[in-house]
Amino acid sequence: MATPAGPLDGDALLAAVSDAMRELHERYYRRAPATSKARMMGADLLACVLGGVYTDVEKTLIELERGPVVRDNRSLFQDAMQQRFIDTVQRLSGRRVEHFISSHNIGPDLEIELFFLGDPVPAAGT
């Protein structure tokens, strides 16, 4: 499902961000996370938690006690994808992302994307 254009707010924004993060994960890891849930924490912090994110290869590496390799690879990928995540949330929310933090955990199998939202993004041409 393609994510809608923004700006959105309330439940529509949370659903669109959850869908967009799921779509990005599925596009680049070739599998959707088991869960994806976005929540506003106050007026300016948008959090999206994805569960069941690891591929079969990553799960095997973790079982073989190669967790640091999985962590390093995921961290490098999250750094490389940062701007795509930010652009997506700015488009959907209509607000500038002032700060972005992305992290993951091996046990439990979770990934979290945090977006600290600022002022509205200026309209084109202003």
Side-chain angles (χ1 to χ4, degrees):
M1 174 177 124
T3 56
L8 304 170
D9 60 9
D11 290 341
L13 173 61
L14 298 177
V17 169
S18 292
D19 289 346
M21 294 301 111
R22 180 182 304 109
E23 289 170 4
L24 284 166
H25 193 280
E26 186 170 12
R27 178 177 178 191
Y28 293 101
Y29 284 105
R30 299 290 185 215
R31 64 178 295 281
T35 61
S36 177
K37 189 75 170 176
R39 291 271 189 242
M40 286 300 298
M41 301 172 73
D44 300 327
L45 177 60
L46 173 62
C48 187
V49 179
L50 299 108
V53 297
Y54 293 115
T55 65
D56 289 339
V57 170
E58 290 171 321
K59 290 176 189 175
T60 300
L61 288 168
I62 292 165
E63 289 171 10
L64 295 173
E65 299 181 9
R66 300 293 200 280
V69 171
V70 174
R71 270 192 296 278
D72 290 347
N73 188 51
R74 283 271 170 163
S75 292
L76 288 169
F77 180 74
Q78 287 168 314
D79 287 345
M81 291 296 293
Q82 175 173 300
Q83 196 58 51
R84 290 179 193 202
F85 285 29
I86 289 170
D87 291 347
T88 297
V89 168
Q90 287 184 158
R91 177 179 53 82
L92 292 172
S93 70
R95 293 176 66 185
R96 185 180 318 278
V97 172
E98 299 293 337
H99 302 286
F100 171 70
I101 298 171
S102 181
S103 190
H104 54 278
N105 192 38
I106 287 180
D109 179 351
L110 295 173
E111 185 171 301
I112 187 164
E113 314 299 344
L114 297 173
F115 302 88
F116 295 85
L117 303 177
D119 294 331
V121 175
T126 60

